[in-house]
Amino acid sequence: MAAEVVVVGSCMTDLVSLTTRLPKAGETILGHKFFVGFGGKGANQCVQSARLGAKTSLICKVGNDSFGNDYVDNLKKNSISTAFVGQTADAATGTASIIVNSEGQNVIVIVPGANLLLNFEDLKRASDVICKAKVVVCQLEITPAVSLEALKMARASGVKTLFNPAPALADLDPQFYTYSDIFCCNETEGTHRTPVSCFLNAVRKLLCLDYASGLAKWCNGSHFGAEILTGIPVGNLEDAEKVGRMLLERGCKLVIVTLGAEGCMMISGDEPIPKHVPAGKVRAVDTTGAGDSFVGALAFYLAYYPKLSMEEMIRKSNCVASVSVQAPGTQSSYPYRKDLPQDLF
Ligand SMILES: Nc1ncnc2c1ncn2[C@@H]1O[C@H](COP(=O)(O)OP(=O)(O)OP(=O)(O)O)[C@@H](O)[C@H]1O
Ligand SMILES: [K+]
């Protein structure tokens, strides 16, 4: 049976070492803890969608190495089709190597590796699954031209396209706006949290195994945002509305700006008056990966509950993402359908 939600995107292995201080150039120091986690925006979003019950397929590329093998196992454990997960001998599985000291400072090296080898040929091979999907979801952690091509293939078959422009590119190809049915970006870092507070929350929960990819994005400044796309810093709802209008003018049909604890702002050509869809009040322990939880949930609702209003889909996706912020880590914090209030389904 065809997958209803198809994600074309990244897989990253997070390699995290905790030390008391950061090493100087040429120095060797001892760390006190090491852990490995599963990350990458494409995989994260696909995992959240699958955990809500969506039939999913991830189109991605990992290395022909132990990290790649482990990642394929992780996807299978989440009931995701790996029919179009390529393994290449030409690059290693994408990694984020992160060293964090006890003050929360870090050094990070991201090697996208195999993610950047996902190519047009791979999409062609998967064209049947892309064209039969209900929703195709893309981000920017693979070669942007490949994401754009996937959106075009989906659009040509009348498949709904959900695009999450993360991490942000200042010079995003304008075709991304016109080929996105739903363009879902976050605000730029607001006052509701900082990378360091986000990180400290995560470290307090040392049991977490896979927060690092998200952390890496916060800390290396590649965290995408409405601000990077439009030049407008989003500090409040009005700013978010301005950003939404600007993105609509660039050709998007519907724009969602996620606002952390404040939920989301949505605006569309059909409903040009911006609408705030608040999230419920929860005690957040680690917001890492919330954006991917939201996008994965939205893809699920678009595919399985197409008759719901967009506002209702966003409200439900807010509920799912707000559960993820109450647990440490990224994929490890994503809820399963059985653990959620059944009125979400
Ligand atoms: N503190 C919070 N309380 C409740 N819900 C939250 C909170 N933080 C995030 N969320 C939910 O998660 C969604 C996405 O959050 P956010 O806007 O922070 O995305 P993001 O910046 O892409 O996150 P990240 O980069 O950490 O994955 C929000 O729209 C909301 O539904
Ligand atoms: K989390």
Side-chain angles (χ1 to χ4, degrees):
M1 223 176 79
E4 313 279 295
V5 173
V6 171
V7 180
V8 180
S10 58
C11 292
M12 297 268 188
T13 303
D14 299 329
L15 305 166
V16 187
S17 299
L18 303 182
T19 61
T20 48
R21 65 181 179 81
L22 302 179
K24 300 187 178 75
E27 191 186 18
T28 301
I29 62 165
L30 278 182
H32 53 268
K33 178 139 187 154
F34 173 78
F35 51 89
V36 179
F38 297 111
K41 290 191 153 288
N44 291 345
Q45 294 172 9
C46 200
V47 164
Q48 180 62 88
S49 224
R51 287 188 185 175
L52 298 180
K55 222 176 141 8
T56 56
S57 184
L58 180 62
I59 299 172
C60 65
K61 198 163 269 183
V62 296
N64 204 347
D65 48 27
S66 58
F67 292 145
N69 296 340
D70 290 349
Y71 218 116
V72 173
D73 285 346
N74 172 54
L75 297 173
K76 285 184 176 155
K77 276 188 195 136
N78 281 284
S79 310
I80 293 167
S81 163
T82 56
F84 297 100
V85 177
Q87 280 196 273
T88 176
D90 297 333
T93 299
T95 51
S97 301
I98 303 176
I99 302 173
V100 186
N101 73 11
S102 40
E103 271 116 65
Q105 295 162 320
N106 56 71
V107 287
I108 299 169
V109 179
I110 290 182
V111 183
N115 287 300
L116 297 184
L117 298 189
L118 188 72
N119 57 35
F120 283 40
E121 276 306 306
D122 298 314
L123 293 184
K124 246 185 237 154
R125 265 193 294 277
S127 68
D128 209 40
V129 81
I130 292 175
C131 298
K132 286 187 177 146
K134 292 274 188 313
V135 182
V136 165
V137 189
C138 295
Q139 323 73 24
L140 291 172
E141 277 185 343
I142 58 172
T143 309
V146 174
S147 292
L148 182 58
E149 179 63 16
L151 295 174
K152 287 182 176 178
M153 286 168 73
R155 175 64 68 77
S157 298
V159 176
K160 241 197 175 75
T161 54
L162 170 54
F163 177 54
N164 172 217
L169 280 179
D171 55 347
L172 188 68
D173 184 325
Q175 293 185 90
F176 276 105
Y177 299 111
T178 48
Y179 282 98
S180 303
D181 290 320
I182 298 166
F183 189 96
C184 179
C185 63
N186 73 350
E187 59 180 339
T188 225
E189 257 174 70
T191 48
H192 62 289
R193 65 181 170 194
T194 64
V196 170
S197 68
C198 170
F199 159 76
L200 286 175
N201 273 334
V203 165
R204 274 184 213 114
K205 304 277 167 188
L206 274 182
L207 287 178
C208 90
L209 292 180
D210 58 1
Y211 72 86
S213 249
L215 172 66
K217 269 150 226 126
W218 278 107
C219 298
N220 74 1
S222 70
H223 186 68
F224 74 103
E227 178 177 357
I228 294 171
L229 294 165
T230 61
I232 299 176
V234 176
N236 55 39
L237 206 56
E238 258 171 50
D239 297 333
E241 292 173 4
K242 249 187 258 167
V243 161
R245 279 200 203 92
M246 195 178 270
L247 295 174
L248 272 193
E249 278 164 22
R250 291 184 190 174
C252 305
K253 288 191 181 158
L254 192 147
V255 177
I256 299 172
V257 182
T258 65
L259 303 166
E262 303 305 320
C264 298
M265 191 282 309
M266 65 167 266
I267 184 167
S268 71
D270 296 337
E271 288 183 63
I273 304 205
K275 202 169 266 175
H276 179 213
V277 188
K281 292 262 169 295
V282 299
R283 208 180 67 84
V285 299
D286 177 8
T287 59
T288 311
D292 292 337
S293 171
F294 179 88
V295 172
L298 185 60
F300 166 78
Y301 287 112
L302 287 164
Y304 286 85
Y305 295 87
K307 296 219 168 89
L308 284 182
S309 68
M310 185 50 60
E311 183 177 356
E312 191 55 15
M313 289 192 206
I314 293 174
R315 194 190 63 74
K316 287 176 186 283
S317 303
N318 275 340
C319 287
V320 174
S322 72
V323 172
S324 82
V325 306
Q326 297 174 66
T330 306
Q331 291 179 21
S332 55
S333 72
Y334 290 178
Y336 290 81
R337 182 176 184 135
K338 66 177 173 44
D339 301 320
L340 288 163
Q342 289 308 300
D343 61 2
L344 287 179
F345 302 100

